[in-house]
Amino acid sequence: MTQSITTLIHHPYVPPAGFDAPQPGVFKASTVFFPTVAAMRSREWKDKSAYTYGLHGTPTTYALEERLCTLEGGLQCLLVPSGLAAVSLVALALLKQGDEVLIPDNAYGPNKALAEGELKDWGISHRYYDPMDPNDLDAKMSNRTRLVWVEAAGSVTLEFPDLPALVRIAKGKGALVALDNTWGAGLAFAPFNLLPANETPLGVDISVHALTKYPSGGGDVLMGSVITRDAGLHLRIKLAHMRLGLGVGANDAEAVLRALPSIELRYRAHDETTRILAQWANAQPAFVQVLHPALGDSPGHAHWKSLCKGGPGGAAGLFSVVIDPCYSQDQVDAFCDALNLFRLGYSWGGPISLVVPYDLASMRTAWPAHIARGTLVRFSIGLEAVEDLQADIAQALQILG
Ligand SMILES: *Cc1c(COP(=O)(O)O)cnc(C)c1O
């Protein structure tokens, strides 16, 4: 071994300070150095005033956290390796044996699977409520209810609940309210500020977000965030985050940081194309119902209008159709297979349009009264030209004769 290898590792060169460029630097670390033992003992990571270990934060993750707070109107943010990890972190941080969690019946499926799996095994019970009936939530709240999930719109069936009413009921009975805000993305409405300025402020306690979708925008990153406005609540979740050893890679954080400046433009583009296609789909005889909150006859349209119209009026990039029950599952599958631009795949928020047929009966405690009978197919709209996407659906519809 030469001595130069040691110099190469303990290199004295320090680049000049003051580098300034559009994107923040990417800092990668497990180990973080301390100048002295005293500094090692005294450094505090919980308030982000310093660095102690890569898992507790780097300039890159702090920068992303602060920007996401701005997007959603929060004050504190935690990053986790996926949207689902954000959902599970909230549950693990806030629920203990004997507690109950209430989940909307149209919730993101893996949230329900967590409740039916680990949470049940750990003595934490759950109940599903009808998201379109605040009275049902009210009736199901008990003195064991610690956490209430809300989602607007539902990510498969796209019905839009009366979010302020649900939040008011849950908070009124002392539960914490967590919103899965992946659909709204901080752009369709302000989760911590659900009412007009002249009314008493009302907001969710926690907003979780699958950064996998619109913030990353490329279909190539998995990440989630948990955003709060209450320092004490944030600390409870942060300590669980630390004990569970959750963190994200710097390259992934960089990918989200790069995509964030264009999120509003992309969201608006997905939204515009989706509205055109949903309108057009509404006129196709094979589709007995089209689910998209900006359509006048879609379930919860009035709630969407009253919550989202104050902002940019966003409605994201998803719509679902219910295919006439006269067509068999095989015919519906053949319709999906016949699409060319729409690829078969989960997730959304990237440049490529996707399609997934769902077995709604298996996903709900009962068939929702506001959804027509038939086979549900969800489209997630990418950034392609709307004419091409419409032509693709039109040609695939020929399969259904
Ligand atoms: C995709 C999604 C998640 C989970 O995100 P992952 O990063 O895929 O784990 C959670 N909630 C909703 C509504 C989603 O669409």
Side-chain angles (χ1 to χ4, degrees), residues 82-85 87 108 151 155 180 182 210 212-213 222-223 347-348:
S82 68
L84 182 53
V87 169
Y108 176 67
E151 210 175 304
S155 64
D180 182 334
T182 305
T212 307
K213 308 291 167 53
L222 287 156
M223 201 182 292
S347 199
W348 31 284

Side-chain angles (χ1 to χ4, degrees), residues 68-74 150 152 160 163-164 167 171 179 181 183-197 201-207 227 229 267 303-304 306-314:
L68 292 169
C69 282
T70 301
L71 180 66
E72 296 211 52
V150 288
F160 208 96
L163 200 54
V167 173
K171 290 184 124 174
L179 167 73
N181 197 27
W183 181 94
L187 294 165
F189 59 91
F192 296 102
N193 195 4
L194 297 169
L195 297 177
L202 180 76
V204 302
D205 297 297
I206 301 156
S207 175
I227 296 183
R229 287 187 63 86
Y267 192 85
H303 303 312
W304 169 79
S306 82
L307 188 66
C308 301
K309 74 168 186 289

Side-chain angles (χ1 to χ4, degrees), residues 236-257:
R236 271 176 83 186
I237 304 172
K238 184 166 189 140
L239 290 172
H241 181 266
M242 187 261 292
R243 290 187 289 257
L244 291 167
L246 298 174
V248 302
N251 286 346
D252 287 342
E254 183 213 13
V256 179
L257 279 165

Side-chain angles (χ1 to χ4, degrees), residues 43-378:
R43 242 186 229 181
E44 179 54 74
W45 55 272
K46 290 193 222 51
D47 63 359
K48 279 200 211 177
S49 61
Y51 306 102
T52 49
Y53 187 60
L55 208 47
H56 301 157
T58 65
T60 308
T61 57
Y62 286 180
L64 179 54
E65 288 168 7
E66 290 303 311
R67 290 175 191 209
L68 292 169
C69 282
T70 301
L71 180 66
E72 296 211 52
L75 293 177
Q76 309 93 11
C77 174
L78 290 160
L79 298 174
V80 289
S82 68
L84 182 53
V87 169
S88 64
L89 171 62
V90 169
L92 301 196
L94 302 179
L95 298 170
K96 61 180 188 328
Q97 188 175 18
D99 290 346
E100 185 156 270
V101 55
L102 296 188
I103 301 174
D105 203 26
N106 64 348
Y108 176 67
N111 191 348
K112 295 170 96 174
L114 175 71
E116 291 163 18
E118 278 70 15
L119 297 190
K120 181 164 174 272
D121 290 347
W122 296 339
I124 298 160
S125 60
H126 64 272
R127 296 182 83 184
Y128 298 132
Y129 69 91
D130 177 354
M132 303 309 281
D133 180 7
N135 292 329
D136 188 48
L137 172 64
D138 196 35
K140 284 178 176 156
M141 299 279 308
S142 77
N143 57 8
R144 293 197 298 116
T145 311
R146 293 283 168 274
L147 178 65
V148 174
W149 281 99
V150 288
E151 210 175 304
S155 64
V156 172
T157 36
L158 284 315
E159 59 275 84
F160 208 96
D162 184 347
L163 200 54
L166 296 177
V167 173
R168 208 176 271 123
I169 288 167
K171 290 184 124 174
K173 294 200 169 173
L176 290 165
V177 181
L179 167 73
D180 182 334
N181 197 27
T182 305
W183 181 94
L187 294 165
F189 59 91
F192 296 102
N193 195 4
L194 297 169
L195 297 177
N198 57 351
E199 294 185 39
T200 314
L202 180 76
V204 302
D205 297 297
I206 301 156
S207 175
V208 313
H209 193 160
L211 307 177
T212 307
K213 308 291 167 53
Y214 296 116
S216 93
D220 57 352
V221 177
L222 287 156
M223 201 182 292
S225 58
V226 178
I227 296 183
T228 47
R229 287 187 63 86
D230 180 86
L233 177 61
H234 170 67
L235 186 59
R236 271 176 83 186
I237 304 172
K238 184 166 189 140
L239 290 172
H241 181 266
M242 187 261 292
R243 290 187 289 257
L244 291 167
L246 298 174
V248 302
N251 286 346
D252 287 342
E254 183 213 13
V256 179
L257 279 165
R258 278 197 72 163
L260 268 187
S262 63
I263 186 171
E264 190 171 349
L265 293 175
R266 290 184 283 105
Y267 192 85
R268 206 180 293 150
H270 290 297
D271 183 341
E272 274 173 24
T273 307
T274 304
R275 286 187 208 216
I276 294 167
L277 291 175
Q279 285 279 4
W280 173 82
N282 223 1
Q284 306 307 308
F287 301 149
V288 291
Q289 190 176 16
V290 177
L291 300 159
H292 180 284
L295 289 179
D297 54 358
S298 194
H301 168 72
H303 303 312
W304 169 79
K305 208 170 155 192
S306 82
L307 188 66
C308 301
K309 74 168 186 289
L318 301 173
F319 75 97
S320 292
V321 299
V322 181
I323 298 187
D324 193 314
C326 74
Y327 300 107
S328 67
Q329 183 69 56
D330 284 349
Q331 285 175 297
V332 172
D333 292 357
F335 162 72
C336 295
D337 284 337
L339 290 160
N340 296 315
L341 293 175
F342 286 88
R343 305 299 303 269
L344 288 160
Y346 297 108
S347 199
W348 31 284
I352 297 200
S353 293
L354 301 170
V355 62
V356 182
Y358 283 95
D359 176 16
L360 191 60
S362 72
M363 296 162 66
R364 294 298 190 91
T365 50
W367 193 278
H370 53 266
I371 296 186
R373 291 280 171 173
T375 309
L376 194 114
V377 171
R378 186 186 73 184

